[in-house]
Amino acid sequence: MKIFLKLLAFISFTSAAFSAFADTAYEGMAKPWQMGFQPPATPIMEKLNGLHDILLVTITAIVILVMIAMAYIFIRFRRQANPVPSKTTHNTMLEIIWTTIPIVILVVIAIPSLRYHYYMQQVVNPELTVKVVGYQWYWHYDYPDNGGFGFDSYMKKGDDLKPGDHRQLSVDNRLVVPVNATVRVLVTGADVIHSWSVPAFGVKRDAVPGRLNETWFKATKIGTFYGQCSQLCGVGHGFMPIVVEVVSKEDFNSWVAEQQKKAGVVPAETKATPAEPKPAATETKAATATKAATDTKAAVTDKKVATTTQAATKTEKK
């Protein structure tokens, strides 16, 4: 079993390495003759990849054991070896074994499955929030944390494709996010049900009209990652690609500043703070009157003190 696991891991990592270094710029997409999933680019996909490996080993072991048992039955209990068949109908111990073993297998599978499920559904403290709206047949992206600017993302057609673009995968405007940042994605639909899916991120969330769904990811690699709408949404369903560009935080800040300038959005930190309201005329008059009264009382008190002092001095002289 350990040898099989090591061989499986070697094949997976070799495939990932060839996929990662085939091009200068990393691209998260399916490669010709690729085995298994796309190389993971988020902690979510890393966990899903691990679960897939566990399930693959488990189902392989089950198939091998069942095939061995069937081969033994075919040979051991064939007609030539058993001219008089057994009339046994029940075996309590055997029935307990073949009932208990599947239960144990399901429990072993359920524990990591539920743990990863809750990990994917947890409420995170995001560093960036992006709103995704699905239309027939394109995507719209908003950045509410960066002034609320937004843009549409359409698939590039034949005449618009440039060297390095991928047919039916490249778009005119990419979703840009910073690397190693927790990104919350709010997904909804404007007309019919769509599905925002990026395989390398392990993210797939339905865009339902009238409902705001939420998911998250944390990209750990700089590069370009591709996905597609994964819910039948009409005749243009196959022409709704998704492209996420993961860049450094410095490049992301520069890109945000450029997009804000194009959209005419004033960054939050540069917005003018409102001036403090001036006091009302009534309040000003009242304050002036109070101050005058105070000054008058002080003058009267000083005069009385001076008079008392003079009187005391005259008395001493007498």
Side-chain angles (χ1 to χ4, degrees), residues 28 48 124 157 159 287:
L48 294 179
V124 297
K157 298 183 180 180
D159 298 337

Side-chain angles (χ1 to χ4, degrees), residues 131-186:
K131 184 179 179 182
V132 180
V133 184
Y135 291 87
Q136 290 181 310
W137 287 272
Y138 64 95
W139 298 99
H140 179 84
Y141 300 109
D142 286 317
Y143 287 75
D145 292 344
N146 302 98
F149 68 87
F151 51 84
D152 296 332
S153 180
Y154 288 88
M155 183 190 73
K156 285 186 176 181
K157 298 183 180 180
D159 298 337
D160 300 327
L161 291 173
K162 299 178 181 179
D165 288 340
H166 301 284
R167 181 176 176 270
Q168 294 189 355
L169 282 179
S170 296
V171 297
D172 55 356
N173 292 309
R174 299 175 174 182
L175 177 67
V176 181
V177 298
V179 68
N180 294 323
T182 303
V183 181
R184 176 175 59 183
V185 185
L186 304 177

Side-chain angles (χ1 to χ4, degrees), residues 90 130 180 205 209 214 229-230 287 307:
H90 296 283
V130 177
N180 294 323
R205 186 65 70 204
E214 180 179 336
C229 178
S230 300
T307 303

Side-chain angles (χ1 to χ4, degrees), residues 90-300:
H90 296 283
N91 188 306
T92 303
M93 182 57 65
L94 184 61
E95 292 176 0
I96 292 175
I97 291 173
W98 72 37
T99 302
T100 305
I101 291 178
I103 293 175
V104 173
I105 293 174
L106 291 177
V107 171
V108 170
I109 294 174
I111 292 174
S113 299
L114 292 174
R115 186 166 63 246
Y116 296 158
H117 175 75
Y118 285 112
Y119 177 77
M120 295 168 63
Q121 300 295 329
Q122 68 179 335
V123 178
V124 297
N125 184 20
E127 301 174 49
L128 174 69
T129 299
V130 177
K131 184 179 179 182
V132 180
V133 184
Y135 291 87
Q136 290 181 310
W137 287 272
Y138 64 95
W139 298 99
H140 179 84
Y141 300 109
D142 286 317
Y143 287 75
D145 292 344
N146 302 98
F149 68 87
F151 51 84
D152 296 332
S153 180
Y154 288 88
M155 183 190 73
K156 285 186 176 181
K157 298 183 180 180
D159 298 337
D160 300 327
L161 291 173
K162 299 178 181 179
D165 288 340
H166 301 284
R167 181 176 176 270
Q168 294 189 355
L169 282 179
S170 296
V171 297
D172 55 356
N173 292 309
R174 299 175 174 182
L175 177 67
V176 181
V177 298
V179 68
N180 294 323
T182 303
V183 181
R184 176 175 59 183
V185 185
L186 304 177
V187 186
T188 187
D191 35 44
V192 298
I193 299 178
H194 304 275
S195 184
W196 198 80
S197 174
V198 182
F201 291 172
V203 171
K204 181 182 181 296
R205 186 65 70 204
D206 286 348
V208 183
R211 179 173 180 176
L212 196 64
N213 289 330
E214 180 179 336
T215 186
W216 69 278
F217 66 85
K218 183 178 182 180
T220 56
K221 296 180 181 178
I222 293 178
T224 306
F225 301 88
Y226 295 86
Q228 290 178 304
C229 178
S230 300
Q231 190 72 260
L232 291 174
C233 56
V235 67
H237 163 68
F239 308 102
M240 288 185 64
I242 301 163
V243 182
V244 181
E245 186 174 357
V246 182
V247 299
S248 64
K249 294 187 178 180
E250 294 76 13
D251 292 341
F252 176 75
N253 293 332
S254 300
W255 178 83
V256 167
E258 181 182 351
Q259 295 299 317
Q260 289 175 338
K261 186 177 180 180
K262 288 181 180 179
V265 176
V266 180
E269 59 272 12
T270 61
K271 289 183 179 179
T273 55
E276 294 183 1
K278 295 182 178 180
T282 305
E283 294 178 358
T284 304
K285 291 180 180 179
T288 304
T290 302
K291 185 177 181 182
T294 303
D295 294 341
T296 303
K297 288 180 179 179
V300 172

